[in-house]
Amino acid sequence: MSNSVKDRILELRELLHKYSHAYYNLNTSIVPDAEYDNLYDELVELESKYPDFSDEHSPTQRVGERPLDKFLQFKHKLPMLSLEKAKTEDELTQFNKRISDSLDSNDEIEFCCEPKLDGVALSLHYQNGLLKRAVTRGDGLTGEDVTQNAKTIKSVPLKLFGKNHPVFLEVRGEAYIPLEKFELMNDRSVGSGEKSFANPRNAASGSLRQLDSKIASSRPLFFSAYSVGDFDGSDLQLDQYSHYRRLQQLQNIGLAVSPLLKKVKGIDAVIEYCHGILRKRDDLGFEIDGVVIKVDSLAQQQALGFVARAPRWAIAFKFPAQEQLTTLLDVEFQVGRTGAITPVARLAPVLVGGVTVSNATLHNQDEINRLSIKIGDTVTVRRAGDVIPQIVAVLTERRPLEARDIVFPSQCPVCGSAVERVTGEAVARCRGGLFCPAQLKESIKHFVSRKAMDIDGLGDKLVEQLVDQQLINTTADIYQLDMPALIGLDRMAEKSALKLLNAIKASCQTSLARFIYALGIREVGEATALNLAQHFGSLPALLNASLEQLLAVNEVGKIVAEHLQSFFAEPHNQQVITALQAAGINWPDIELQPASAQPLAGHTVVLTGTLISMGRDDAKARLQQLGAKVSGSVSAKTYAVVAGDNAGSKLAKATELNVPVWTEQQMLVLFSENGVA
Ligand code: IVH
């Protein structure tokens, strides 16, 4: 084998290590994704051509290996300890006093603070800079050897940067799964009939303890280092004074440390830090259960020593838990705009992560079956990030004798119409259509909403009153409202009534696209409505379209086409549309251009970065009006990339592939030249 091949292989490994550290651990991207992929492919090819030169620490070796029968036990050289806990500011102040007294120091102590990640502890062993072993915490004394799985975690370096590493270095940290990735992973498992995980911590622990590392490699595990454990080597480069500096060193040799890591002086600054993290908790993107506070000086740490199984120099400030036990009091069934019936759990109110929770969604019958839940059960509710509270588990052993089954209604709880469940779909629906007051209310709320007919002043409460008092029975009735009808309503004075009537009148001047969207046809969102308007140009053309004609519209597939057809075939809907037009709703004509005359016909355009003048969806719809196909990824075939603010890897890729890059301004000029401004 020639030396140049060998050098290239080494160079590729070095580059890929560097790029993936930047990407996974520093959240910056040095090169476009495509460049990374190209180098990676080149390395895979070279390694397979020259197997003599393979290396278990190559970046290509993260794909998982043969399944194990069981994990080997491994005894930690230094036990993996736990932390003392503080729940109040007072307890933090006492902690500070204990330390100051014990150190006999009048100076303010320096502390290193960081979020306490809610994952599983993992210990990584590096020998001369190479990852040799990864061990779970286990009982703190003995853990399991999960090396194969740890090697599949992209943020775990297989090889440390630089030279002169300690002969042995143990890095301790937390393996975890970010919230968004956790939701995706669970959706996927449920979709393929597998069981889901109750929370990201269980998912991380389950993934790390997979005997089949191929499965582990498909799990979105991350690793964040929080301390140096054991180490060995005399010409040691490790900092001898500060915990904070050691963590920086770990980052410099390729590990991830918390971006929120901070060194502060004095306990007041610690308390302030804790408040800051608590405020940010819902936006972090990963679950934390508190803040870990450590004395920064290694000399002071040593002087303070340990009590039982925890260091005296550290403490965990615990945040309110994001899972709590409560009781399922009842289940109500809510009916949405399209008739979808959602079971909603009514819970005994409970504080979860600092917020009172008294409702949680139960999604559908499948979820009820999966949980085997009954009314009266003790359940675990979970609230994290900004997602709706969920019931994640049932404590069947605490089930009371009088627990009742949850009976999914066979008739709509609001209008009494039949409930149907299409085979293959999880959702059950009321068949009452707009005869159902619940669906009617939701349809009207949608009809008047900002992106639809945009009737200002017609809020949810008012819609409910109007429907309940039977002042409106269809959306068309909105246009028959008058002063005497409105004046009789709650909290409606003459002035606001007049304002509302004006807003209703003003909404008559609209666009065909808004009108189509406002009808609330299933699966027809704004973008589809705009495509339909642009494609057919007039309402009659749309109403009379065949299935084939509908399928010819950009982004209209079989399901949407069928929803459109059944909506327009329904006599009641036809009557409402006629009545709406009779009430004066109108829109300017759309001149249809032959496809060939559209300036972007047959071309693919990619949007990236943040646009200033309009949202992504609006820009997309307008580009489509000009005939473009709008795609999410850049390739050599891309016609142009529109780059807004902070455009990242897609812009880089476009430049690399010589794809023209337009500014937002250039796109706007194109819009106005073609009358889609
Ligand atoms: S320090 C002696 N720092 O919390 C030092 N632990 O109760 C012990 N954890 O299972 C650990 N984030 O896995 C430390 N930034 C952090 C942490 C952290 C999460 C976990 C750790 C351990 C538990 C300690």
Side-chain angles (χ1 to χ4, degrees):
M1 182 193 323
S2 74
N3 259 340
S4 67
V5 170
K6 180 177 161 183
D7 288 346
R8 180 62 180 159
I9 288 179
L10 292 178
E11 180 188 25
L12 286 169
R13 286 180 187 155
E14 208 56 44
L15 283 173
L16 291 168
H17 276 312
K18 190 167 95 193
Y19 296 159
S20 87
H21 174 55
Y23 186 81
Y24 287 102
N25 299 342
L26 306 176
N27 291 319
T28 53
S29 163
I30 308 182
V31 290
D33 297 0
E35 171 70 4
Y36 184 92
D37 295 345
N38 292 339
L39 298 177
Y40 186 90
D41 293 345
E42 186 186 340
L43 180 58
V44 170
E45 198 178 317
L46 286 178
E47 286 177 348
S48 71
K49 237 186 186 157
Y50 302 97
D52 286 357
F53 224 56
S54 65
D55 178 345
E56 57 169 326
H57 299 101
S58 165
T60 56
Q61 303 302 301
R62 289 192 184 274
V63 285
E65 296 161 49
R66 253 184 322 109
L68 303 172
D69 298 329
K70 64 175 175 48
F71 292 114
L72 295 177
Q73 300 278 310
F74 190 91
K75 191 167 179 304
H76 299 292
K77 187 126 170 271
L78 302 176
M80 290 184 82
L81 302 171
S82 51
L83 290 167
E84 265 195 76
K85 293 172 188 60
K87 285 200 172 135
T88 62
E89 290 181 18
D90 266 0
E91 285 168 356
L92 285 180
T93 315
Q94 285 161 23
F95 165 69
N96 184 57
K97 183 162 186 315
R98 273 202 305 276
I99 295 173
S100 304
D101 289 352
S102 170
L103 292 172
D104 202 10
S105 151
N106 290 322
D107 297 336
E108 285 198 305
I109 314 250
E110 288 199 293
F111 293 103
C112 202
C113 307
E114 65 186 301
K116 187 168 185 295
L117 288 168
D118 202 3
V120 279
L122 184 64
S123 151
L124 304 176
H125 297 187
Y126 288 91
Q127 205 104 40
N128 297 315
L130 298 176
L131 179 69
K132 282 292 170 214
R133 188 178 289 112
V135 188
T136 60
R137 177 172 186 269
D139 63 2
L141 300 174
T142 307
E144 287 172 324
D145 182 330
V146 291
T147 313
Q148 288 203 354
N149 293 339
K151 283 175 73 177
T152 69
I153 304 177
K154 304 278 202 311
S155 47
V156 167
L158 301 177
K159 185 170 183 281
L160 301 175
F161 291 135
K163 308 202 164 58
N164 300 333
H165 293 294
V167 178
F168 179 78
L169 172 67
E170 180 193 8
V171 176
R172 293 179 173 183
E174 199 84 349
Y176 67 100
I177 292 182
L179 270 171
E180 196 185 335
K181 302 245 179 333
F182 167 72
E183 309 285 343
L184 268 174
M185 163 182 163
N186 255 356
D187 286 351
R188 230 173 273 147
S189 324
V190 170
S192 56
E194 292 161 48
K195 91 177 208 343
S196 58
F197 288 102
N199 56 46
R201 176 168 26 93
N202 291 3
S205 161
S207 301
L208 201 57
R209 300 187 62 259
Q210 270 292 334
L211 288 167
D212 184 349
S213 54
K214 292 233 162 45
I215 297 180
S217 82
S218 72
R219 301 281 174 79
L221 282 166
F222 285 71
F223 177 81
S224 179
Y226 55 64
S227 73
V228 171
D230 188 21
F231 60 86
D232 170 19
S234 45
D235 59 340
L236 206 48
Q237 313 296 312
L238 276 179
D239 189 88
Q240 297 301 299
Y241 304 100
S242 151
H243 173 71
Y244 182 78
R245 283 220 289 275
R246 277 196 176 170
L247 290 181
Q248 286 179 321
Q249 287 184 311
L250 291 184
Q251 175 157 322
N252 291 338
I253 56 175
L255 288 139
V257 301
S258 172
L260 297 158
L261 178 72
K262 195 172 175 191
K263 194 165 95 171
V264 301
K265 201 168 179 155
I267 201 68
D268 291 341
V270 167
I271 292 170
E272 196 182 318
Y273 177 89
C274 292
H275 285 306
I277 298 291
L278 186 54
R279 276 195 298 276
K280 284 195 208 135
R281 188 186 197 181
D282 280 351
D283 306 318
L284 292 178
F286 44 83
E287 290 224 311
I288 62 171
D289 54 358
V291 167
V292 180
I293 300 140
K294 296 172 192 157
V295 170
D296 186 58
S297 153
L298 299 179
Q300 289 182 335
Q301 286 190 5
Q302 186 142 33
L304 288 162
F306 299 86
V307 273
R309 300 200 47 202
R312 261 202 207 95
W313 41 265
I315 198 159
F317 183 69
K318 295 285 269 186
F319 286 170
Q322 294 194 299
E323 284 183 7
Q324 289 293 351
L325 291 183
T326 186
T327 315
L328 176 63
L329 300 177
D330 201 359
V331 174
E332 282 170 24
F333 294 87
Q334 272 178 2
V335 186
R337 172 166 66 83
T338 59
I341 297 184
T342 309
V344 178
R346 301 288 176 224
L347 304 167
V350 61
L351 259 184
V352 189
V355 173
T356 305
V357 171
S358 41
N359 301 314
T361 174
L362 278 168
H363 301 286
N364 50 47
Q365 179 73 61
D366 292 351
E367 177 73 356
I368 292 174
N369 296 347
R370 190 181 72 80
L371 289 166
S372 325
I373 185 172
K374 289 181 191 247
I375 294 166
D377 270 340
T378 300
V379 298
T380 306
V381 268
R382 190 180 116 81
R383 189 196 70 88
D386 49 10
V387 292
I388 313 168
Q390 313 271 327
I391 293 180
V392 293
V394 175
L395 281 76
T396 29
E397 67 281 7
R398 293 208 200 168
R399 177 167 288 163
L401 285 172
E402 66 280 10
R404 289 183 283 132
D405 282 338
I406 298 168
V407 185
F408 217 94
S410 55
Q411 289 181 317
C412 171
V414 178
C415 73
S417 299
V419 168
E420 83 176 337
R421 185 170 168 188
V422 179
T423 30
E425 267 189 42
V427 188
R429 283 177 205 280
C430 157
R431 291 185 49 182
L434 294 179
F435 165 75
C436 173
Q439 290 187 56
L440 178 61
K441 283 176 186 170
E442 295 308 313
S443 304
I444 291 173
K445 288 176 196 169
H446 171 79
F447 184 84
V448 305
S449 65
R450 201 173 52 77
K451 291 175 176 173
M453 300 305 286
D454 192 18
I455 305 181
D456 208 22
L458 199 43
D460 289 0
K461 285 273 172 305
L462 194 51
V463 169
E464 281 167 25
Q465 274 193 71
L466 289 167
V467 172
D468 288 341
Q469 303 198 12
Q470 298 195 357
L471 287 167
I472 47 182
N473 296 309
T474 74
T475 48
D477 293 343
I478 295 171
Y479 294 89
Q480 307 306 324
L481 288 171
D482 55 14
M483 204 47 138
L486 290 178
I487 282 296
L489 298 169
D490 268 5
R491 272 178 282 159
M492 182 61 82
E494 199 175 310
K495 204 166 146 205
S496 38
L498 199 62
K499 223 169 126 192
L500 176 58
L501 289 174
N502 282 333
I504 293 174
K505 203 159 156 210
S507 76
C508 285
Q509 306 293 332
T510 188
S511 68
L512 177 56
R514 274 179 180 271
F515 183 75
I516 296 170
Y517 172 67
L519 293 174
I521 303 161
R522 270 176 67 188
E523 310 276 343
V524 177
E526 262 178 293
T528 308
L530 195 55
N531 288 340
L532 289 165
Q534 216 52 49
H535 186 95
F536 291 106
S538 76
L539 192 59
L542 170 61
L543 295 182
N544 297 319
S546 66
L547 200 62
E548 287 68 36
Q549 287 169 327
L550 289 170
L551 287 170
V553 179
N554 215 337
E555 282 182 77
V556 171
K558 193 160 165 283
I559 294 178
V560 177
E562 283 173 2
H563 287 324
L564 283 160
Q565 284 213 313
S566 67
F567 185 92
F568 293 132
E570 160 70 41
H572 179 259
N573 292 337
Q574 292 168 2
Q575 283 162 23
V576 172
I577 290 172
T578 311
L580 285 167
Q581 286 186 286
I585 292 183
N586 68 93
W587 48 83
D589 288 339
I590 301 171
E591 257 181 68
L592 288 187
Q593 296 191 352
S596 56
Q598 291 179 310
L600 299 177
H603 295 311
T604 304
V605 176
V606 173
L607 289 164
T608 185
T610 315
L611 301 175
I612 310 287
S613 58
M614 64 183 81
R616 249 320 149 90
D617 287 346
D618 280 338
K620 179 174 173 184
R622 288 182 170 81
L623 288 166
Q624 286 170 344
Q625 284 179 48
L626 300 182
K629 182 169 173 280
V630 179
S631 153
S633 60
V634 182
S635 76
K637 293 199 187 107
T638 307
Y639 183 68
V641 169
V642 181
D645 272 3
N646 297 320
S649 64
K650 289 181 196 167
L651 173 57
K653 191 160 177 182
T655 319
E656 185 189 282
L657 297 172
N658 280 325
V659 169
V661 175
W662 296 345
T663 61
E664 180 171 357
Q665 198 53 40
Q666 284 172 298
M667 176 180 74
L668 294 178
V669 170
L670 187 75
F671 287 166
S672 69
E673 281 173 357
N674 290 280
V676 294

